[in-house]
Amino acid sequence: MSGRRVRRRLEFAPGEAQLPGDFGERLARLKRRTGLTWEEMAEALGVDDRQLQRWRRGACPNGRSMLSLIRLAAQLPDGLNELLGHDPCAARREERRR
């Protein structure tokens, strides 16, 4: 080996991140899978339960809230796929297995 670092190709296109069009439905499915009530889920995420209602109607979570949602989803098998429509970490896990 020459000791040169191999630059990894990014698995996403840079630009504005967009949530799936059915994000509100995905959020409801994630909530069902956690077994939490909306109030309990809001508390776990550190947001007001009215904020969850806004997200279900189409508002986008801010960065901190989205990170909390991702952390919650990541605790469930296939949870990131459930929430985002794909698992951004799956490609890296697959790459490490090779």
Side-chain angles (χ1 to χ4, degrees):
M1 250 211 252
S2 66
R4 292 182 70 192
R5 255 189 142 165
V6 176
R7 189 172 276 204
R8 287 180 27 167
R9 179 172 240 163
L10 297 176
E11 296 294 325
F12 62 92
E16 184 178 324
Q18 294 192 3
L19 295 174
D22 62 345
F23 183 73
E25 294 169 27
R26 290 174 175 280
L27 187 62
R29 286 194 304 263
L30 182 70
K31 179 229 161 252
R32 281 192 297 274
R33 289 189 56 201
T34 65
L36 299 172
T37 65
W38 285 111
E39 293 81 15
E40 291 167 335
M41 187 169 175
E43 185 177 330
L45 296 171
V47 299
D48 188 277
D49 59 327
R50 290 173 293 184
Q51 190 61 44
L52 288 175
Q53 293 171 2
R54 289 183 201 104
W55 296 345
R56 290 171 58 202
R57 288 188 302 241
C60 293
N62 67 22
R64 182 177 291 174
S65 298
M66 193 65 205
L67 181 57
S68 294
L69 275 168
I70 288 170
R71 286 180 172 158
L72 177 66
Q75 294 179 45
L76 300 169
D78 206 34
L80 288 173
N81 187 45
E82 183 78 48
L83 182 65
L84 302 174
H86 70 287
D87 183 343
C89 301
R92 282 192 224 134
R93 284 193 300 265
E94 184 63 35
E95 190 176 289
R96 282 188 225 137
R97 288 183 195 147
R98 292 182 201 164

